């Protein structure tokens, strides 16, 4: 019947009951059938040539959903009708969104469509979109359709859908709900179809080009997450609990995922996607909690500032019980670790595919709920999040189609690294062996982090270069707390310094010198604050002392600089911000599938100066924010500048800040020119001055050639009183901004677009938020 409607372009009357009853009652359909029966070309033809038919169809479909929600769907026939309407709207909505003339259609009221059969005024008729969203919310808590009925029901005592308290029907135990209902796969399937429709309603965002205007809220999400939706709280809780309680391995029987269909997984995926879309909220425009969980404001403000109007964001930010945090963290960590699980039988354990949605959810949790962030960092449980993220970063570094995954992993680590506890936790020994192609080492989680970062920088593909500043900022943030680096990690850091400090690299792009600054800051922090346990790093610095001497004598006249740049053309170097690394030492990371993997484009991320703000750590461990001295925008061509005041903090506490502004400058041509004393090398030069003669003397006196003896000597050495006054510890903390909010929006919808292939809801529609590209 649906095909007849689409082909017949003569008008169909909304009042033609016989036609419509037959139309909805088709039983043998699945969502895949609807997509096959209703081709894109036909939808567009009806939209252009008989718009009144399309309008009638949408109106009738919403009307049927509203009726189903009112009646409670007690019969099999009613349920079938509801599901068919659901599938048809899921099919048609993207074609309504792609046409700007139609986009407002669902927000208009249909004349004469008042609930009382057209007698009442049109004034109080709801827009179609609102009726649709409220009906879907009601249907998600419909006894015997999507939730277990609590009555021992005979037909006459069937529960009235308007009198039930949906908080008693939350889908899964967890946050705020202790009772775990009997699993029912039919209910799971029905919920999944309704959530798919909900996600399609929210996807209007895909058809608008990216804009930095944060007031651009999605009207569908805004209404659904408002107080108008009486199911907002139980639905938020249901979605969160279903995701966090899911255990893909189940009873741990090998290959059980091949023997039994898992009806929960599609629901969990859909729930995760709906959840992150409802949480798409720009926190940089609202008051956000500060470190102790209070909001930034004066003592005169109300104790509890009103939260955002988006109730899902509001509820998320107000979760506070330790056991709830534990449940969420354990669930997310279990799911993120799932792809890393090694079994002796190949493919015997189920591997989930929705890790990107989980990372977005984890980001939202930490961003909107500071108490959750501190809970995560309070114990070494944070490492259960860190290790999977490092695994994904290492695995995706050669795959152009997974640039977004690389970014979100790095953003999460940047957010965590702004807190002292993260650096402290990294000192825990790394003993679990995750399948990663990295050098074997004995050491801590900090070593693992540095080794993986080195791998990304030296053998990732070219599109990751904007992340180099972020990766090194993370290492700088944790460096004052690293008690003992392994020799492997220490050598990796020095290899990066060697590569970044060659003349050609320093001068080939205006911001490249920031990378050298960050690395020197790492060495300075460790030497000043953690000298005692770090003999490996000190030994590596002594061995590579020529790198520091070369840096100290870097040419500053343009002739020598040009010579250095010329030399580059003859000898290819290990790292480049401008030359593609594809194909070089990419072993072990999985490149994109050769068949032409689809990927979605992303908006550019803000430079590190916009992403972070600087905080100074005081003696007592508290942080105070350092205001940038001038709020002038950086000169063009110098966008990803390393810090808000032109240069990162240098270790030379003796330099007044304003003098240091002269140490290096970006000239108007976009070429960076150093001035003679531009680098914070004082601490390292002092260390070399004291220790190199001592080490040389021992080697000669004792005829030593053995590293271990030298390391033993360095372990017992001290530089107390010999180094310059320790510089204050400086942390660059992530700060919310509209640039990253927009990045998250395009990334999130890109993931959802690519992951929904069966049925392909948005495929081949005119999406504007991103471009679809073949890798």
């Amino acid at each position: 019947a649906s095909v007849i409607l689409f082909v017949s372009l003569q008008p169909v009357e909304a009042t033609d009951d016989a036609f419509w009853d037959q139309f909805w009652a088709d039983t043998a359909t699945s969502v895949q059938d609807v997509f096959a029966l209703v081709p894109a070309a036909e939808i567009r033809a009806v939209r252009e040539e008989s718009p009144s038919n399309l309008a009638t169809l949408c109106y009738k479909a919403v009307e049927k959903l509203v009726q189903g929600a009112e009646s409670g769907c007690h019969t099999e026939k009613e349920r079938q009708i509801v599901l068919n309407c659901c599938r048809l709207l899921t099919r048609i909505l993207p074609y309504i969104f792609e046409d700007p003339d139609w986009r407002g259609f669902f927000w208009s009221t249909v004349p004469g469509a008042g609930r009382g059969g057209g007698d009442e005024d049109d004034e109080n008729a709801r827009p179609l979109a609102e009726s649709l969203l409220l009906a879907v919310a009601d249907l998600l808590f419909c006894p015997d359709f999507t939730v277990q009925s609590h009555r021992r029901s005979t037909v006459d005592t069937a529960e009235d859908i308007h009198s039930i308290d949906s908080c008693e029907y939350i889908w899964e135990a967890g946050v705020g709900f202790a009772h775990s209902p009997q699993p029912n796969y039919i209910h799971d399937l029905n919920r999944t179809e309704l959530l798919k429709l909900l996600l399609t309603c929210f996807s209007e965002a895909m058809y608008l080009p990216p804009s930095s205007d944060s007031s651009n809220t999605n009207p569908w999400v805004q209404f659904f997450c408002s107080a108008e939706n009486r199911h907002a709280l139980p639905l938020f809780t249901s979605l969160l609990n279903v995701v966090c309680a899911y255990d893909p391995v189940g009873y741990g029987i090998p290959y059980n995922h091949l023997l039994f269909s898992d009806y929960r997984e599609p629901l969990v995926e859909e729930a995760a996607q709906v959840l992150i879309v409802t949480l798409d909220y720009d926190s940089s425009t609202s008051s956000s909690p500060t470190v102790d969980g209070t909001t930034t404001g004066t003592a005169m403000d109300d104790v509890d500032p009103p939260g955002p109007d988006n109730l899902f964001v509001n509820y998320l930010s107000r979760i506070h019980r330790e056991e709830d945090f534990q449940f969420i963290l354990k669930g997310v960590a279990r799911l993120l670790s799932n792809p890393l699980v090694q079994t002796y039988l190949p493919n015997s354990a189920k591997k989930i595919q929705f890790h990107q949605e989980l990372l977005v959810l984890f980001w939202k949790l930490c961003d909107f709920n500071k108490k959750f962030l501190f809970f995560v960092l309070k114990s070494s449980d944070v490492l259960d999040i860190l290790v999977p993220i490092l695994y994904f970063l290492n695995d995706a570094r050669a795959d152009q189609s997974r640039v977004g995954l690389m970014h979100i992993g790095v953003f999460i680590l940047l957010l965590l690294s702004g807190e002292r506890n993260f650096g402290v936790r990294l000192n825990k020994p790394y003993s679990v062996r995750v399948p990663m192609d990295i050098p074997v080492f004995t050491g801590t989680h900090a070593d693992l982090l540095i080794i993986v970062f080195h791998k990304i920088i030296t053998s990732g593909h070219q599109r990751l270069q904007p992340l180099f500043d972020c990766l090194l900022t993370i290492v700088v943030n944790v460096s004052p707390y690293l008690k003992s680096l392994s020799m492997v990690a220490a050598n990796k850091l020095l290899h990066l310094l060697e590569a970044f400090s060659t003349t050609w690299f320093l001068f080939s792009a205006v911001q490249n010198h920031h990378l050298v600054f960050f690395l020197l800051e790492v060495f300075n922090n460790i030497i000043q604050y953690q000298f005692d346990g770090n003999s490996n790093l000190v030994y590596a610095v002594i061995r590579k002392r020529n790198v520091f001497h070369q840096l100290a004598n870097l040419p500053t006249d343009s002739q020598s600089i040009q010579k250095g740049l010329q030399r580059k053309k003859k000898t290819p170097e290990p790292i480049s911000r401008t030359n593609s690394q594809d194909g070089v030492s990419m072993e072990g990371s999985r490149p994109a599938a050769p068949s032409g993997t689809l990927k979605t484009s992303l908006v550019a991320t803000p430079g590190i100066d916009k992403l972070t703000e600087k905080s100074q750590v005081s003696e007592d461990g508290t942080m105070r924010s350092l205001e940038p001295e001038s709020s002038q925008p950086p000169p063009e061509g110098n966008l990803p500048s390393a810090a808000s005041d032109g240069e990162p903090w240098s270790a030379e506490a003796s330099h007044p800040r304003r003098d240091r502004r002269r140490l290096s400058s970006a000239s108007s041509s976009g070429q960076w020119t150093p001035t003679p004393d531009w680098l914070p090398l004082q601490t390292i030069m002092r260390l070399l001055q004291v220790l190199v003669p001592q080490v040389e003397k021992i080697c000669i006196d004792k005829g030593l050639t053995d590293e271990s003896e030298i390391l033993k000597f360095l372990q017992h050495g001290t530089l107390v009183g010999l180094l310059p006054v320790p510089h204050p510890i400086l942390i660059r903390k992530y700060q919310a901004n509209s640039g990253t909010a927009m990045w998250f929006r395009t990334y999130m919808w890109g993931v959802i677009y690519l992951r929904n292939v069966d049925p392909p809801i948005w495929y081949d529609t005119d999406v504007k938020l991103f471009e679809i590209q073949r890798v």
Side-chain angles (χ1 to χ4, degrees), residues 713-740:
F713 163 72
L714 290 173
Q715 271 163 10
H716 301 299
T718 175
L719 292 176
V720 173
L722 298 171
L723 291 176
V725 179
H727 54 284
I729 294 177
L730 206 85
I731 303 292
R732 293 178 185 79
K733 286 172 77 86
Y734 168 81
Q735 58 171 353
N737 61 78
S738 53
T740 34

mmCIF file of all heavy atoms in Angstrom, residues 713-740:
data_model
loop_
_atom_site.group_PDB
_atom_site.id
_atom_site.type_symbol
_atom_site.label_atom_id
_atom_site.label_comp_id
_atom_site.label_asym_id
_atom_site.label_seq_id
_atom_site.Cartn_x
_atom_site.Cartn_y
_atom_site.Cartn_z
ATOM 1 N N PHE A 713 75.591 5.685 39.954
ATOM 2 C CA PHE A 713 76.193 6.943 40.439
ATOM 3 C C PHE A 713 75.167 8.075 40.384
ATOM 4 O O PHE A 713 75.013 8.848 41.328
ATOM 5 C CB PHE A 713 77.425 7.297 39.593
ATOM 6 C CG PHE A 713 77.846 8.728 39.758
ATOM 7 C CD1 PHE A 713 78.454 9.163 40.939
ATOM 8 C CD2 PHE A 713 77.611 9.678 38.747
ATOM 9 C CE1 PHE A 713 78.830 10.494 41.113
ATOM 10 C CE2 PHE A 713 77.973 11.006 38.920
ATOM 11 C CZ PHE A 713 78.585 11.416 40.098
ATOM 12 N N LEU A 714 74.440 8.168 39.256
ATOM 13 C CA LEU A 714 73.473 9.266 39.107
ATOM 14 C C LEU A 714 72.340 9.150 40.118
ATOM 15 O O LEU A 714 71.796 10.152 40.593
ATOM 16 C CB LEU A 714 72.902 9.281 37.684
ATOM 17 C CG LEU A 714 73.881 9.711 36.572
ATOM 18 C CD1 LEU A 714 73.262 9.517 35.206
ATOM 19 C CD2 LEU A 714 74.309 11.173 36.761
ATOM 20 N N GLN A 715 71.968 7.913 40.471
ATOM 21 C CA GLN A 715 70.890 7.720 41.446
ATOM 22 C C GLN A 715 71.246 8.339 42.786
ATOM 23 O O GLN A 715 70.381 8.823 43.508
ATOM 24 C CB GLN A 715 70.625 6.222 41.658
ATOM 25 C CG GLN A 715 69.602 5.665 40.681
ATOM 26 C CD GLN A 715 69.651 4.150 40.609
ATOM 27 O OE1 GLN A 715 70.320 3.503 41.432
ATOM 28 N NE2 GLN A 715 68.987 3.579 39.622
ATOM 29 N N HIS A 716 72.538 8.278 43.106
ATOM 30 C CA HIS A 716 72.927 8.789 44.426
ATOM 31 C C HIS A 716 73.399 10.227 44.385
ATOM 32 O O HIS A 716 73.713 10.817 45.401
ATOM 33 C CB HIS A 716 73.999 7.876 45.045
ATOM 34 C CG HIS A 716 73.516 6.470 45.207
ATOM 35 N ND1 HIS A 716 72.432 6.159 45.993
ATOM 36 C CD2 HIS A 716 73.921 5.302 44.624
ATOM 37 C CE1 HIS A 716 72.193 4.862 45.914
ATOM 38 N NE2 HIS A 716 73.083 4.314 45.086
ATOM 39 N N GLY A 717 73.449 10.796 43.153
ATOM 40 C CA GLY A 717 73.906 12.188 43.049
ATOM 41 C C GLY A 717 72.807 13.139 43.514
ATOM 42 O O GLY A 717 71.666 12.760 43.725
ATOM 43 N N THR A 718 73.170 14.379 43.708
ATOM 44 C CA THR A 718 72.166 15.382 44.073
ATOM 45 C C THR A 718 72.566 16.709 43.450
ATOM 46 O O THR A 718 73.739 16.972 43.208
ATOM 47 C CB THR A 718 72.071 15.551 45.598
ATOM 48 O OG1 THR A 718 71.165 16.616 45.872
ATOM 49 C CG2 THR A 718 73.417 15.884 46.206
ATOM 50 N N LEU A 719 71.557 17.529 43.177
ATOM 51 C CA LEU A 719 71.839 18.859 42.639
ATOM 52 C C LEU A 719 71.304 19.930 43.581
ATOM 53 O O LEU A 719 71.105 21.072 43.189
ATOM 54 C CB LEU A 719 71.182 19.019 41.252
ATOM 55 C CG LEU A 719 71.763 18.154 40.122
ATOM 56 C CD1 LEU A 719 70.965 18.345 38.853
ATOM 57 C CD2 LEU A 719 73.221 18.518 39.858
ATOM 58 N N VAL A 720 71.039 19.522 44.832
ATOM 59 C CA VAL A 720 70.455 20.477 45.781
ATOM 60 C C VAL A 720 71.355 21.706 45.889
ATOM 61 O O VAL A 720 72.563 21.589 46.068
ATOM 62 C CB VAL A 720 70.276 19.821 47.167
ATOM 63 C CG1 VAL A 720 69.824 20.857 48.185
ATOM 64 C CG2 VAL A 720 69.259 18.694 47.082
ATOM 65 N N GLY A 721 70.761 22.864 45.761
ATOM 66 C CA GLY A 721 71.514 24.110 45.894
ATOM 67 C C GLY A 721 72.288 24.497 44.652
ATOM 68 O O GLY A 721 72.869 25.581 44.609
ATOM 69 N N LEU A 722 72.358 23.615 43.661
ATOM 70 C CA LEU A 722 73.144 23.932 42.477
ATOM 71 C C LEU A 722 72.283 24.446 41.322
ATOM 72 O O LEU A 722 72.773 25.096 40.411
ATOM 73 C CB LEU A 722 73.932 22.697 42.014
ATOM 74 C CG LEU A 722 74.948 22.166 43.035
ATOM 75 C CD1 LEU A 722 75.501 20.826 42.578
ATOM 76 C CD2 LEU A 722 76.086 23.175 43.212
ATOM 77 N N LEU A 723 70.991 24.084 41.339
ATOM 78 C CA LEU A 723 70.111 24.480 40.226
ATOM 79 C C LEU A 723 69.538 25.870 40.464
ATOM 80 O O LEU A 723 69.489 26.349 41.603
ATOM 81 C CB LEU A 723 68.955 23.480 40.100
ATOM 82 C CG LEU A 723 69.343 22.077 39.620
ATOM 83 C CD1 LEU A 723 68.112 21.186 39.635
ATOM 84 C CD2 LEU A 723 69.949 22.120 38.228
ATOM 85 N N PRO A 724 69.060 26.532 39.413
ATOM 86 C CA PRO A 724 68.363 27.807 39.609
ATOM 87 C C PRO A 724 67.131 27.593 40.495
ATOM 88 O O PRO A 724 66.681 26.462 40.672
ATOM 89 C CB PRO A 724 67.918 28.204 38.195
ATOM 90 C CG PRO A 724 68.648 27.318 37.260
ATOM 91 C CD PRO A 724 69.123 26.117 38.017
ATOM 92 N N VAL A 725 66.606 28.691 41.032
ATOM 93 C CA VAL A 725 65.394 28.612 41.869
ATOM 94 C C VAL A 725 64.303 27.900 41.063
ATOM 95 O O VAL A 725 64.079 28.233 39.899
ATOM 96 C CB VAL A 725 64.897 30.039 42.203
ATOM 97 C CG1 VAL A 725 63.642 29.979 43.050
ATOM 98 C CG2 VAL A 725 66.007 30.811 42.891
ATOM 99 N N PRO A 726 63.620 26.884 41.654
ATOM 100 C CA PRO A 726 62.591 26.181 40.886
ATOM 101 C C PRO A 726 61.524 27.151 40.380
ATOM 102 O O PRO A 726 61.093 28.040 41.106
ATOM 103 C CB PRO A 726 61.973 25.204 41.896
ATOM 104 C CG PRO A 726 62.996 25.053 42.963
ATOM 105 C CD PRO A 726 63.767 26.335 43.014
ATOM 106 N N HIS A 727 61.140 26.969 39.141
ATOM 107 C CA HIS A 727 60.080 27.793 38.553
ATOM 108 C C HIS A 727 58.746 27.285 39.097
ATOM 109 O O HIS A 727 58.644 26.128 39.489
ATOM 110 C CB HIS A 727 60.116 27.625 37.034
ATOM 111 C CG HIS A 727 60.041 26.184 36.627
ATOM 112 N ND1 HIS A 727 61.126 25.328 36.738
ATOM 113 C CD2 HIS A 727 59.012 25.421 36.169
ATOM 114 C CE1 HIS A 727 60.764 24.117 36.337
ATOM 115 N NE2 HIS A 727 59.485 24.147 35.988
ATOM 116 N N PRO A 728 57.724 28.136 39.095
ATOM 117 C CA PRO A 728 56.414 27.627 39.530
ATOM 118 C C PRO A 728 55.912 26.578 38.525
ATOM 119 O O PRO A 728 56.213 26.668 37.340
ATOM 120 C CB PRO A 728 55.497 28.853 39.476
ATOM 121 C CG PRO A 728 56.321 29.994 39.029
ATOM 122 C CD PRO A 728 57.682 29.534 38.669
ATOM 123 N N ILE A 729 55.188 25.573 39.053
ATOM 124 C CA ILE A 729 54.602 24.575 38.142
ATOM 125 C C ILE A 729 53.438 25.242 37.405
ATOM 126 O O ILE A 729 52.595 25.891 38.018
ATOM 127 C CB ILE A 729 54.060 23.367 38.927
ATOM 128 C CG1 ILE A 729 55.217 22.620 39.588
ATOM 129 C CG2 ILE A 729 53.268 22.429 38.017
ATOM 130 C CD1 ILE A 729 54.781 21.441 40.440
ATOM 131 N N LEU A 730 53.428 25.060 36.095
ATOM 132 C CA LEU A 730 52.374 25.659 35.290
ATOM 133 C C LEU A 730 51.574 24.561 34.613
ATOM 134 O O LEU A 730 52.158 23.696 33.963
ATOM 135 C CB LEU A 730 53.033 26.516 34.214
ATOM 136 C CG LEU A 730 52.089 27.612 33.790
ATOM 137 C CD1 LEU A 730 52.255 28.756 34.767
ATOM 138 C CD2 LEU A 730 52.390 28.031 32.398
ATOM 139 N N ILE A 731 50.270 24.596 34.783
ATOM 140 C CA ILE A 731 49.409 23.593 34.142
ATOM 141 C C ILE A 731 48.541 24.297 33.112
ATOM 142 O O ILE A 731 48.014 25.376 33.388
ATOM 143 C CB ILE A 731 48.493 22.921 35.199
ATOM 144 C CG1 ILE A 731 49.317 22.286 36.315
ATOM 145 C CG2 ILE A 731 47.586 21.875 34.548
ATOM 146 C CD1 ILE A 731 50.137 21.098 35.897
ATOM 147 N N ARG A 732 48.430 23.717 31.947
ATOM 148 C CA ARG A 732 47.490 24.279 30.953
ATOM 149 C C ARG A 732 46.235 23.436 30.982
ATOM 150 O O ARG A 732 46.206 22.315 30.494
ATOM 151 C CB ARG A 732 48.129 24.256 29.559
ATOM 152 C CG ARG A 732 49.298 25.207 29.458
ATOM 153 C CD ARG A 732 49.963 25.150 28.092
ATOM 154 N NE ARG A 732 51.152 25.997 28.090
ATOM 155 C CZ ARG A 732 52.323 25.647 28.613
ATOM 156 N NH1 ARG A 732 52.464 24.475 29.180
ATOM 157 N NH2 ARG A 732 53.352 26.476 28.573
ATOM 158 N N LYS A 733 45.187 23.996 31.596
ATOM 159 C CA LYS A 733 43.939 23.251 31.770
ATOM 160 C C LYS A 733 43.034 23.468 30.576
ATOM 161 O O LYS A 733 42.948 24.580 30.066
ATOM 162 C CB LYS A 733 43.214 23.743 33.028
ATOM 163 C CG LYS A 733 43.847 23.294 34.328
ATOM 164 C CD LYS A 733 43.182 23.988 35.511
ATOM 165 C CE LYS A 733 41.844 23.387 35.862
ATOM 166 N NZ LYS A 733 41.987 22.234 36.772
ATOM 167 N N TYR A 734 42.326 22.406 30.186
ATOM 168 C CA TYR A 734 41.339 22.551 29.110
ATOM 169 C C TYR A 734 40.282 23.555 29.537
ATOM 170 O O TYR A 734 39.838 23.556 30.684
ATOM 171 C CB TYR A 734 40.664 21.194 28.830
ATOM 172 C CG TYR A 734 39.445 21.352 27.954
ATOM 173 C CD1 TYR A 734 39.581 21.471 26.570
ATOM 174 C CD2 TYR A 734 38.170 21.455 28.510
ATOM 175 C CE1 TYR A 734 38.475 21.671 25.761
ATOM 176 C CE2 TYR A 734 37.060 21.650 27.705
ATOM 177 C CZ TYR A 734 37.212 21.764 26.344
ATOM 178 O OH TYR A 734 36.125 21.978 25.547
ATOM 179 N N GLN A 735 39.890 24.436 28.645
ATOM 180 C CA GLN A 735 38.741 25.304 28.962
ATOM 181 C C GLN A 735 37.700 25.177 27.855
ATOM 182 O O GLN A 735 38.028 25.143 26.670
ATOM 183 C CB GLN A 735 39.164 26.759 29.153
ATOM 184 C CG GLN A 735 39.864 27.358 27.945
ATOM 185 C CD GLN A 735 40.068 28.853 28.117
ATOM 186 O OE1 GLN A 735 39.570 29.447 29.063
ATOM 187 N NE2 GLN A 735 40.784 29.465 27.193
ATOM 188 N N ALA A 736 36.438 25.094 28.272
ATOM 189 C CA ALA A 736 35.351 24.942 27.305
ATOM 190 C C ALA A 736 35.316 26.162 26.394
ATOM 191 O O ALA A 736 35.530 27.288 26.842
ATOM 192 C CB ALA A 736 34.022 24.803 28.043
ATOM 193 N N ASN A 737 35.076 25.944 25.114
ATOM 194 C CA ASN A 737 34.948 27.073 24.187
ATOM 195 C C ASN A 737 34.070 26.648 23.029
ATOM 196 O O ASN A 737 33.900 25.461 22.766
ATOM 197 C CB ASN A 737 36.334 27.522 23.704
ATOM 198 C CG ASN A 737 37.053 26.415 22.969
ATOM 199 O OD1 ASN A 737 36.763 26.139 21.814
ATOM 200 N ND2 ASN A 737 37.974 25.733 23.658
ATOM 201 N N SER A 738 33.500 27.635 22.326
ATOM 202 C CA SER A 738 32.508 27.293 21.307
ATOM 203 C C SER A 738 33.150 26.535 20.145
ATOM 204 O O SER A 738 32.496 25.758 19.472
ATOM 205 C CB SER A 738 31.803 28.547 20.808
ATOM 206 O OG SER A 738 32.760 29.498 20.405
ATOM 207 N N GLY A 739 34.472 26.743 19.936
ATOM 208 C CA GLY A 739 35.158 26.007 18.866
ATOM 209 C C GLY A 739 35.127 24.505 19.096
ATOM 210 O O GLY A 739 34.787 23.730 18.189
ATOM 211 N N THR A 740 35.435 24.063 20.322
ATOM 212 C CA THR A 740 35.397 22.611 20.568
ATOM 213 C C THR A 740 33.954 22.122 20.609
ATOM 214 O O THR A 740 33.682 20.994 20.202
ATOM 215 C CB THR A 740 36.096 22.207 21.894
ATOM 216 O OG1 THR A 740 35.892 23.236 22.835
ATOM 217 C CG2 THR A 740 37.557 21.979 21.701
#
